[in-house]
Amino acid sequence: MISQMDILIFILTIIVTALFTAAVRRELLKADIRDNPIISEHRQKSGTPTMGGFGILLGISLMALVTFTWHAVSYLHITVFMMIAAGIFGMFDDLLGFKVKEYQKVVKNTGDNPVQLGLLTLQPGEEARVASPKAKKDYEQIVEKEHKLELIDEIPIKTETSETEKIITQFILACFLVVPGVLSTNILGIEIGVLMIPLAILAIIGSINAVNLIDGMDGLAAGIIAIASVASALFAGATTGSVASLPFVVIAGASVGFLVLNHYPAKIFMGDTGSYALGTGYMVAALLGNTLIFSVIALAVPIISVIISLLHRAHIITLPVEPLHHTLNYHGMSEQKIILLYWGVTLIVSVIALFLFGII
Protein backbone atom coordinates (compact mmCIF):
# COMPACT_ATOMS: atom_id res chain seq x y z
CA MET A 1 0.00 0.00 0.00
CA ILE A 2 0.98 3.67 0.11
CA SER A 3 3.91 4.23 2.50
CA GLN A 4 4.61 7.18 4.78
CA MET A 5 7.39 8.17 2.37
CA ASP A 6 4.89 8.28 -0.50
CA ILE A 7 2.64 10.56 1.56
CA LEU A 8 5.59 12.84 2.35
CA ILE A 9 6.56 13.01 -1.33
CA PHE A 10 2.93 13.74 -2.24
CA ILE A 11 2.81 16.70 0.17
CA LEU A 12 6.22 18.02 -0.93
CA THR A 13 5.20 17.79 -4.59
CA ILE A 14 2.05 19.80 -3.89
CA ILE A 15 4.08 22.53 -2.18
CA VAL A 16 6.88 22.83 -4.75
CA THR A 17 4.48 22.67 -7.71
CA ALA A 18 2.26 25.38 -6.21
CA LEU A 19 5.32 27.59 -5.65
CA PHE A 20 6.71 26.97 -9.13
CA THR A 21 3.28 27.60 -10.69
CA ALA A 22 3.02 30.94 -8.88
CA ALA A 23 6.48 31.90 -10.14
CA VAL A 24 5.65 30.77 -13.69
CA ARG A 25 2.40 32.77 -13.59
CA ARG A 26 4.28 35.90 -12.61
CA GLU A 27 6.72 35.49 -15.51
CA LEU A 28 3.94 34.69 -17.99
CA LEU A 29 2.15 37.90 -17.00
CA LYS A 30 5.34 39.87 -17.53
CA ALA A 31 5.77 38.27 -20.97
CA ASP A 32 2.07 38.89 -21.77
CA ILE A 33 1.50 35.19 -22.57
CA ARG A 34 -2.26 34.98 -22.10
CA ASP A 35 -5.10 32.82 -23.31
CA ASN A 36 -7.93 33.95 -25.58
CA PRO A 37 -10.76 31.36 -25.32
CA ILE A 38 -12.87 30.78 -28.44
CA ILE A 39 -15.93 29.55 -26.51
CA SER A 40 -18.23 32.55 -26.21
CA GLU A 41 -19.35 31.56 -22.69
CA HIS A 42 -15.70 31.74 -21.59
CA ARG A 43 -14.75 35.07 -23.15
CA GLN A 44 -14.50 36.60 -19.68
CA LYS A 45 -11.42 34.41 -19.15
CA SER A 46 -9.43 36.25 -21.81
CA GLY A 47 -6.13 37.49 -20.43
CA THR A 48 -5.53 34.53 -18.10
CA PRO A 49 -1.90 33.34 -18.37
CA THR A 50 -1.50 30.06 -20.26
CA MET A 51 1.37 27.57 -20.65
CA GLY A 52 1.21 27.11 -16.88
CA GLY A 53 2.17 23.49 -17.42
CA PHE A 54 5.75 24.67 -16.90
CA GLY A 55 4.91 24.84 -13.18
CA ILE A 56 3.98 21.16 -13.27
CA LEU A 57 7.16 20.25 -15.15
CA LEU A 58 9.35 22.15 -12.70
CA GLY A 59 7.61 20.54 -9.73
CA ILE A 60 7.99 16.96 -10.95
CA SER A 61 11.58 17.61 -12.09
CA LEU A 62 12.61 18.78 -8.63
CA MET A 63 11.00 15.73 -7.03
CA ALA A 64 12.80 13.47 -9.50
CA LEU A 65 16.10 15.05 -8.45
CA VAL A 66 15.25 14.72 -4.76
CA THR A 67 14.41 11.02 -5.11
CA PHE A 68 17.33 10.22 -7.42
CA THR A 69 19.65 9.54 -4.47
CA TRP A 70 17.08 7.10 -3.02
CA HIS A 71 16.14 5.05 -6.06
CA ALA A 72 18.75 5.85 -8.74
CA VAL A 73 17.02 5.60 -12.14
CA SER A 74 13.50 4.36 -11.43
CA TYR A 75 10.03 4.38 -12.94
CA LEU A 76 9.62 7.92 -11.63
CA HIS A 77 12.62 9.24 -13.51
CA ILE A 78 11.58 7.59 -16.76
CA THR A 79 8.08 9.03 -16.30
CA VAL A 80 9.44 12.52 -15.60
CA PHE A 81 11.69 12.36 -18.67
CA MET A 82 8.69 11.45 -20.81
CA MET A 83 6.61 14.24 -19.27
CA ILE A 84 9.30 16.82 -20.01
CA ALA A 85 9.56 15.62 -23.62
CA ALA A 86 5.77 15.75 -23.96
CA GLY A 87 5.65 19.19 -22.36
CA ILE A 88 8.12 20.49 -24.95
CA PHE A 89 5.95 19.16 -27.80
CA GLY A 90 2.91 20.75 -26.15
CA MET A 91 4.77 24.04 -25.75
CA PHE A 92 5.20 24.31 -29.52
CA ASP A 93 1.43 23.85 -29.94
CA ASP A 94 0.83 26.57 -27.36
CA LEU A 95 3.19 28.96 -29.11
CA LEU A 96 1.59 28.26 -32.47
CA GLY A 97 -1.78 29.07 -30.90
CA PHE A 98 -0.80 32.72 -30.46
CA LYS A 99 -1.01 33.15 -34.24
CA VAL A 100 -4.57 34.00 -35.36
CA LYS A 101 -5.85 31.82 -38.22
CA GLU A 102 -9.20 33.54 -38.74
CA TYR A 103 -11.88 35.59 -37.01
CA GLN A 104 -14.98 33.51 -36.41
CA LYS A 105 -18.37 35.20 -36.28
CA VAL A 106 -20.71 34.87 -33.30
CA VAL A 107 -24.33 35.44 -34.24
CA LYS A 108 -27.69 35.71 -32.49
CA ASN A 109 -31.08 34.67 -33.81
CA THR A 110 -33.09 37.92 -33.62
CA GLY A 111 -36.11 36.49 -35.43
CA ASP A 112 -39.24 34.90 -34.06
CA ASN A 113 -38.64 31.45 -35.58
CA PRO A 114 -35.85 28.85 -35.36
CA VAL A 115 -32.98 29.25 -37.83
CA GLN A 116 -30.92 26.39 -39.29
CA LEU A 117 -27.21 27.23 -39.13
CA GLY A 118 -24.95 24.37 -40.15
CA LEU A 119 -25.80 21.41 -37.92
CA LEU A 120 -27.46 23.64 -35.32
CA THR A 121 -31.01 24.87 -35.01
CA LEU A 122 -30.88 28.27 -33.33
CA GLN A 123 -33.98 29.10 -31.34
CA PRO A 124 -35.05 32.77 -31.04
CA GLY A 125 -32.55 34.60 -28.85
CA GLU A 126 -29.89 31.85 -29.00
CA GLU A 127 -26.26 32.52 -29.95
CA ALA A 128 -23.73 30.38 -31.81
CA ARG A 129 -20.36 30.50 -33.53
CA VAL A 130 -20.29 30.27 -37.31
CA ALA A 131 -17.66 27.55 -37.44
CA SER A 132 -18.25 24.86 -40.07
CA PRO A 133 -18.15 25.47 -43.85
CA LYS A 134 -21.89 24.69 -44.02
CA ALA A 135 -22.63 27.15 -41.21
CA LYS A 136 -20.67 29.87 -43.02
CA LYS A 137 -22.58 29.22 -46.23
CA ASP A 138 -25.91 29.23 -44.36
CA TYR A 139 -24.94 32.47 -42.62
CA GLU A 140 -24.33 34.29 -45.89
CA GLN A 141 -27.67 33.14 -47.29
CA ILE A 142 -29.58 34.04 -44.12
CA VAL A 143 -28.03 37.49 -43.88
CA GLU A 144 -28.66 38.26 -47.55
CA LYS A 145 -32.23 36.94 -47.77
CA GLU A 146 -33.82 36.67 -44.33
CA HIS A 147 -31.96 39.15 -42.06
CA LYS A 148 -32.66 36.98 -39.00
CA LEU A 149 -29.13 36.78 -37.63
CA GLU A 150 -27.32 39.57 -35.83
CA LEU A 151 -23.51 39.64 -35.73
CA ILE A 152 -22.59 40.20 -32.08
CA ASP A 153 -18.88 39.30 -31.94
CA GLU A 154 -15.87 38.09 -33.91
CA ILE A 155 -13.60 35.65 -32.11
CA PRO A 156 -9.94 35.12 -33.08
CA ILE A 157 -9.34 31.44 -33.84
CA LYS A 158 -5.94 30.03 -32.95
CA THR A 159 -3.66 28.42 -35.50
CA GLU A 160 -3.28 24.73 -34.69
CA THR A 161 -1.31 21.82 -36.03
CA SER A 162 -3.42 19.37 -38.01
CA GLU A 163 -4.75 16.18 -36.42
CA THR A 164 -2.36 14.14 -38.57
CA GLU A 165 0.63 16.20 -37.47
CA LYS A 166 -0.41 15.83 -33.83
CA ILE A 167 -0.72 12.05 -34.10
CA ILE A 168 2.71 11.79 -35.77
CA THR A 169 4.25 13.91 -33.01
CA GLN A 170 2.59 11.80 -30.33
CA PHE A 171 3.72 8.60 -32.06
CA ILE A 172 7.32 9.83 -32.00
CA LEU A 173 6.92 10.70 -28.33
CA ALA A 174 5.57 7.23 -27.51
CA CYS A 175 8.57 5.67 -29.23
CA PHE A 176 10.80 7.31 -26.61
CA LEU A 177 9.35 4.80 -24.15
CA VAL A 178 8.95 1.79 -26.45
CA VAL A 179 12.33 1.75 -28.20
CA PRO A 180 14.61 1.40 -25.12
CA GLY A 181 12.84 -1.84 -24.16
CA VAL A 182 11.99 -0.83 -20.60
CA LEU A 183 8.40 -2.04 -20.81
CA SER A 184 7.17 -5.32 -19.40
CA THR A 185 5.29 -7.58 -21.80
CA ASN A 186 2.99 -8.73 -19.01
CA ILE A 187 -0.40 -7.23 -18.14
CA LEU A 188 -1.91 -8.47 -14.86
CA GLY A 189 -0.28 -11.87 -15.32
CA ILE A 190 -1.09 -12.17 -19.02
CA GLU A 191 1.92 -12.38 -21.35
CA ILE A 192 1.28 -10.48 -24.59
CA GLY A 193 4.82 -10.29 -26.01
CA VAL A 194 5.43 -7.87 -28.88
CA LEU A 195 1.78 -6.80 -28.80
CA MET A 196 2.84 -4.54 -25.93
CA ILE A 197 4.55 -2.22 -28.44
CA PRO A 198 1.45 -1.13 -30.41
CA LEU A 199 -0.65 -1.25 -27.22
CA ALA A 200 1.73 1.12 -25.43
CA ILE A 201 1.83 3.51 -28.38
CA LEU A 202 -1.97 3.57 -28.66
CA ALA A 203 -2.33 4.00 -24.89
CA ILE A 204 0.00 7.01 -24.77
CA ILE A 205 -1.55 8.68 -27.82
CA GLY A 206 -5.03 8.06 -26.43
CA SER A 207 -4.16 9.41 -22.99
CA ILE A 208 -2.60 12.60 -24.39
CA ASN A 209 -5.68 13.33 -26.48
CA ALA A 210 -8.10 12.47 -23.67
CA VAL A 211 -6.44 14.82 -21.17
CA ASN A 212 -5.95 17.50 -23.83
CA LEU A 213 -9.64 17.36 -24.77
CA ILE A 214 -10.87 17.48 -21.18
CA ASP A 215 -8.69 20.52 -20.43
CA GLY A 216 -11.42 23.03 -21.23
CA MET A 217 -12.64 24.28 -17.85
CA ASP A 218 -10.93 25.58 -14.73
CA GLY A 219 -9.26 22.72 -12.89
CA LEU A 220 -11.15 20.04 -14.82
CA ALA A 221 -8.16 18.13 -16.23
CA ALA A 222 -5.90 18.63 -13.20
CA GLY A 223 -8.61 17.43 -10.82
CA ILE A 224 -9.42 14.33 -12.84
CA ILE A 225 -5.75 13.39 -13.18
CA ALA A 226 -5.21 13.97 -9.45
CA ILE A 227 -8.09 11.64 -8.51
CA ALA A 228 -7.18 8.96 -11.07
CA SER A 229 -3.50 9.11 -10.07
CA VAL A 230 -4.24 8.69 -6.36
CA ALA A 231 -6.41 5.66 -7.19
CA SER A 232 -3.73 4.23 -9.49
CA ALA A 233 -1.08 4.81 -6.80
CA LEU A 234 -3.18 2.81 -4.33
CA PHE A 235 -3.59 0.02 -6.87
CA ALA A 236 0.10 0.02 -7.84
CA GLY A 237 1.22 0.10 -4.22
CA ALA A 238 -0.94 -2.91 -3.38
CA THR A 239 -0.03 -4.99 -6.43
CA THR A 240 3.55 -4.05 -7.29
CA GLY A 241 5.02 -1.83 -4.58
CA SER A 242 6.40 1.65 -4.00
CA VAL A 243 8.51 1.74 -7.15
CA ALA A 244 5.30 1.53 -9.21
CA SER A 245 3.18 3.84 -7.05
CA LEU A 246 5.75 6.66 -6.79
CA PRO A 247 5.20 8.10 -10.31
CA PHE A 248 1.46 8.31 -9.66
CA VAL A 249 2.10 9.91 -6.27
CA VAL A 250 4.20 12.65 -7.87
CA ILE A 251 1.73 13.20 -10.73
CA ALA A 252 -1.13 13.47 -8.23
CA GLY A 253 0.85 15.89 -6.09
CA ALA A 254 1.77 18.03 -9.10
CA SER A 255 -1.88 18.11 -10.22
CA VAL A 256 -3.09 19.20 -6.77
CA GLY A 257 -0.30 21.77 -6.53
CA PHE A 258 -1.30 23.21 -9.88
CA LEU A 259 -4.94 23.33 -8.76
CA VAL A 260 -3.99 25.86 -6.08
CA LEU A 261 -4.00 28.49 -8.86
CA ASN A 262 -5.99 26.58 -11.48
CA HIS A 263 -9.22 25.93 -9.54
CA TYR A 264 -12.31 27.96 -10.46
CA PRO A 265 -11.90 30.84 -11.16
CA ALA A 266 -8.52 29.92 -12.63
CA LYS A 267 -5.61 32.32 -12.32
CA ILE A 268 -3.56 30.25 -14.77
CA PHE A 269 -4.18 27.63 -17.47
CA MET A 270 -1.93 24.63 -18.10
CA GLY A 271 -2.15 24.83 -21.90
CA ASP A 272 -0.97 21.99 -24.12
CA THR A 273 2.33 22.17 -22.24
CA GLY A 274 0.57 20.79 -19.18
CA SER A 275 -2.08 18.57 -20.75
CA TYR A 276 0.46 16.79 -22.96
CA ALA A 277 2.73 16.26 -19.94
CA LEU A 278 -0.02 14.94 -17.65
CA GLY A 279 -1.56 12.72 -20.33
CA THR A 280 1.82 11.23 -21.16
CA GLY A 281 3.01 10.87 -17.58
CA TYR A 282 -0.16 9.18 -16.39
CA MET A 283 -0.07 6.51 -19.07
CA VAL A 284 3.69 5.98 -18.88
CA ALA A 285 3.34 5.37 -15.14
CA ALA A 286 0.54 2.89 -15.87
CA LEU A 287 2.61 1.02 -18.47
CA LEU A 288 5.74 0.86 -16.30
CA GLY A 289 3.86 -0.08 -13.13
CA ASN A 290 1.64 -2.72 -14.77
CA THR A 291 -1.56 -0.87 -13.85
CA LEU A 292 -2.75 -0.28 -17.42
CA ILE A 293 -6.22 -1.83 -17.14
CA PHE A 294 -6.99 -0.18 -13.82
CA SER A 295 -5.60 3.21 -14.87
CA VAL A 296 -7.65 3.21 -18.08
CA ILE A 297 -10.79 2.54 -16.04
CA ALA A 298 -9.91 5.40 -13.66
CA LEU A 299 -9.53 7.70 -16.68
CA ALA A 300 -13.00 6.75 -17.95
CA VAL A 301 -14.44 10.29 -17.99
CA PRO A 302 -11.90 11.79 -20.44
CA ILE A 303 -11.93 8.61 -22.55
CA ILE A 304 -15.73 8.67 -22.87
CA SER A 305 -15.52 12.36 -23.74
CA VAL A 306 -13.12 11.53 -26.60
CA ILE A 307 -15.43 8.78 -27.87
CA ILE A 308 -18.40 11.18 -27.89
CA SER A 309 -16.35 13.79 -29.79
CA LEU A 310 -15.30 11.17 -32.35
CA LEU A 311 -18.95 10.16 -32.84
CA HIS A 312 -19.79 13.83 -33.35
CA ARG A 313 -17.02 14.29 -35.91
CA ALA A 314 -18.19 11.15 -37.72
CA HIS A 315 -21.72 12.70 -37.84
CA ILE A 316 -23.16 9.77 -35.88
CA ILE A 317 -24.36 12.16 -33.18
CA THR A 318 -24.62 15.96 -33.14
CA LEU A 319 -23.31 18.24 -30.40
CA PRO A 320 -24.11 21.95 -30.44
CA VAL A 321 -20.63 22.60 -29.05
CA GLU A 322 -17.69 20.20 -28.79
CA PRO A 323 -16.54 18.61 -26.49
CA LEU A 324 -19.26 17.29 -24.16
CA HIS A 325 -18.48 19.55 -21.18
CA HIS A 326 -19.00 22.62 -23.40
CA THR A 327 -22.29 21.13 -24.60
CA LEU A 328 -23.45 20.82 -20.97
CA ASN A 329 -22.43 24.43 -20.41
CA TYR A 330 -24.23 25.46 -23.61
CA HIS A 331 -27.43 23.88 -22.27
CA GLY A 332 -27.26 25.86 -19.03
CA MET A 333 -25.23 23.80 -16.55
CA SER A 334 -22.75 26.05 -14.74
CA GLU A 335 -19.03 25.48 -15.10
CA GLN A 336 -18.67 24.78 -11.38
CA LYS A 337 -21.35 22.07 -11.49
CA ILE A 338 -19.78 20.45 -14.57
CA ILE A 339 -16.37 20.36 -12.89
CA LEU A 340 -17.79 18.84 -9.70
CA LEU A 341 -19.81 16.33 -11.77
CA TYR A 342 -16.75 15.17 -13.71
CA TRP A 343 -14.60 15.01 -10.58
CA GLY A 344 -17.35 13.14 -8.74
CA VAL A 345 -17.85 10.57 -11.50
CA THR A 346 -14.07 10.01 -11.68
CA LEU A 347 -13.94 9.48 -7.91
CA ILE A 348 -16.89 7.07 -7.94
CA VAL A 349 -15.48 5.06 -10.86
CA SER A 350 -12.06 4.90 -9.18
CA VAL A 351 -13.47 3.73 -5.84
CA ILE A 352 -15.62 1.08 -7.54
CA ALA A 353 -12.59 -0.14 -9.49
CA LEU A 354 -10.49 -0.34 -6.33
CA PHE A 355 -13.28 -2.37 -4.72
CA LEU A 356 -13.69 -4.72 -7.69
CA PHE A 357 -9.93 -5.33 -7.86
CA GLY A 358 -9.93 -6.16 -4.13
CA ILE A 359 -7.77 -3.21 -3.04
CA ILE A 360 -10.35 -1.81 -0.60
Side-chain angles (χ1 to χ4, degrees), residues 40 54 80 107 124 133 161 165 171 181 232 239 299 304 306 309 337:
S40 56
F54 278 116
V80 168
V107 296
T161 53
E165 290 171 333
F171 175 82
S232 293
T239 57
L299 205 64
I304 291 172
V306 168
S309 286
K337 287 183 179 178

Side-chain angles (χ1 to χ4, degrees), residues 6 40 43 77 82 90 98 105 138 142 159 207 256 290 320 353:
D6 286 334
S40 56
R43 295 295 289 164
H77 302 98
M82 290 292 294
F98 291 111
K105 293 178 173 62
D138 290 346
I142 293 168
T159 301
S207 182
V256 174
N290 198 15

Side-chain angles (χ1 to χ4, degrees), residues 18-36:
L19 293 174
F20 277 130
T21 301
V24 166
R25 180 179 182 273
R26 184 175 63 249
E27 297 305 314
L28 290 171
L29 286 171
K30 289 180 182 177
D32 198 28
I33 298 177
R34 304 166 189 262
D35 195 32
N36 193 9

Side-chain angles (χ1 to χ4, degrees), residues 277-289:
L278 288 178
T280 299
Y282 180 83
M283 196 51 63
V284 167
L287 289 164
L288 291 173

Side-chain angles (χ1 to χ4, degrees), residues 130-312:
V130 184
S132 69
K134 186 178 186 305
K136 293 174 182 177
K137 183 178 178 180
D138 290 346
Y139 170 76
E140 296 297 334
Q141 291 178 348
I142 293 168
V143 168
E144 289 177 5
K145 299 178 181 179
E146 302 178 40
H147 309 289
K148 292 180 179 179
L149 294 177
E150 177 186 349
L151 179 64
I152 61 174
D153 198 2
E154 287 190 305
I155 300 175
I157 303 301
K158 304 172 183 179
T159 301
E160 293 182 330
T161 53
S162 69
E163 295 297 326
T164 301
E165 290 171 333
K166 286 183 178 181
I167 294 299
I168 291 173
T169 299
Q170 293 161 8
F171 175 82
I172 294 170
L173 178 64
C175 288
F176 288 177
L177 180 68
V178 171
V179 170
V182 296
L183 289 178
S184 168
T185 57
N186 185 287
I187 298 180
L188 294 181
I190 302 173
E191 183 66 33
I192 64 171
V194 294
L195 290 177
M196 178 58 81
I197 294 175
L199 179 61
I201 291 172
L202 288 173
I204 292 173
I205 291 174
S207 182
I208 292 172
N209 285 285
V211 177
N212 185 249
L213 185 71
I214 209 74
D215 180 34
M217 290 184 172
D218 298 355
L220 186 58
I224 287 173
I225 289 295
I227 295 166
S229 294
V230 168
S232 293
L234 291 170
F235 180 82
T239 57
T240 305
S242 180
V243 67
S245 65
L246 186 58
F248 287 117
V249 168
V250 170
I251 291 170
S255 299
V256 174
F258 187 72
L259 275 171
V260 171
L261 290 174
N262 182 239
H263 72 275
Y264 184 90
K267 296 178 176 63
I268 190 170
F269 299 143
M270 68 172 67
D272 287 350
T273 305
S275 63
Y276 270 50
L278 288 178
T280 299
Y282 180 83
M283 196 51 63
V284 167
L287 289 164
L288 291 173
N290 198 15
T291 69
L292 181 61
I293 295 175
F294 178 89
S295 296
V296 167
I297 294 172
L299 205 64
V301 170
I303 292 172
I304 291 172
S305 186
V306 168
I307 293 170
I308 291 173
S309 286
L310 290 175
L311 293 174
H312 168 76

